[in-house]
Amino acid sequence: MDVSPATPRIAVIGVGNDYRRDDGVGWAVVAGLAQRDVQRPLPHGTRLTLTDGEPTRLISAWEGTDLAILVDAARVRPARPGRIHRLRLHDDRWQSPHRETSSHGFTLGDAVQLARTLDRLPGALLVYAVEAADTSLGTGLSPHVSAAVEPVIARIEEDLAHHSPVGQ
């Protein structure tokens, strides 16, 4: 799902799998942003992308952007399903307050390290990780994770508003 030019300034990337319940939260957020774009357009140069989270696809999705915002489900112990974490790449170091991991079996830090090695990091990287309750086979988000979708969309809209130059 793309909503912009071939070379975006901003990429919003939903990571997940719609057939693994809460793992679809990233896709649900991107779908929500696409629906809102009809009434409240996203900043010019914003691309919405869905991916399964494979590191090279992530890197391709954010390569050349000024800002990449990634949304994914996270497994944290102990879990508080629906809790939202906002993480940022600072000073060329991946900093996370917890040991979150993606539900895809790799850490985002691994993708960041690979992108750094290949000189393919975005200008800035923000990650919204939503703690998952259920990543078993099936469709539909659990109630707590579903309730987190709108707040994540609102926070991303704020991030986009603060990132966009005046007049765009």
Side-chain angles (χ1 to χ4, degrees):
M1 169 185 322
D2 286 328
V3 179
S4 75
T7 307
R9 287 185 38 252
I10 302 168
V12 181
I13 305 163
V15 178
N17 181 337
D18 239 2
Y19 299 101
R20 285 189 49 221
R21 309 241 335 129
D22 290 344
D23 195 35
V25 69
W27 289 23
V29 168
V30 168
L33 285 166
Q35 288 175 344
R36 287 183 181 196
D37 186 49
V38 173
Q39 295 175 341
R40 292 189 313 251
L42 296 171
H44 178 73
T46 299
R47 180 176 60 203
L48 302 177
T49 302
L50 301 176
T51 181
D52 61 2
E54 191 277 326
T56 59
R57 284 190 276 277
L58 282 175
I59 293 167
S60 292
W62 71 44
E63 183 178 19
T65 61
D66 297 328
L67 171 65
I69 301 174
L70 189 138
V71 185
D72 195 6
R75 292 185 293 205
V76 179
R77 300 288 181 247
R80 284 186 27 211
R83 181 167 63 170
I84 301 164
H85 300 266
R86 184 177 183 273
L87 313 168
R88 178 182 294 272
L89 180 72
H90 287 291
D91 303 323
D92 292 331
R93 294 184 313 266
W94 178 247
Q95 296 183 355
S96 169
H98 309 287
R99 290 294 306 159
E100 292 101 354
T101 61
S102 166
S103 60
H104 312 286
F106 73 93
T107 67
L108 182 57
D110 294 336
V112 169
Q113 281 300 106
L114 177 59
R116 180 177 295 116
T117 300
L118 298 173
D119 196 28
R120 293 175 65 186
L121 281 172
L125 176 62
L126 276 177
V127 176
Y128 284 92
V130 180
E131 291 186 30
D134 181 2
T135 57
S136 65
L137 293 177
T139 58
L141 302 175
S142 66
H144 291 300
V145 173
S146 182
V149 170
E150 284 300 319
V152 172
I153 290 171
R155 290 180 71 183
I156 289 173
E157 287 177 325
E158 289 176 22
D159 291 330
L160 295 175
H162 288 107
H163 181 77
S164 297
V166 175
Q168 288 196 17

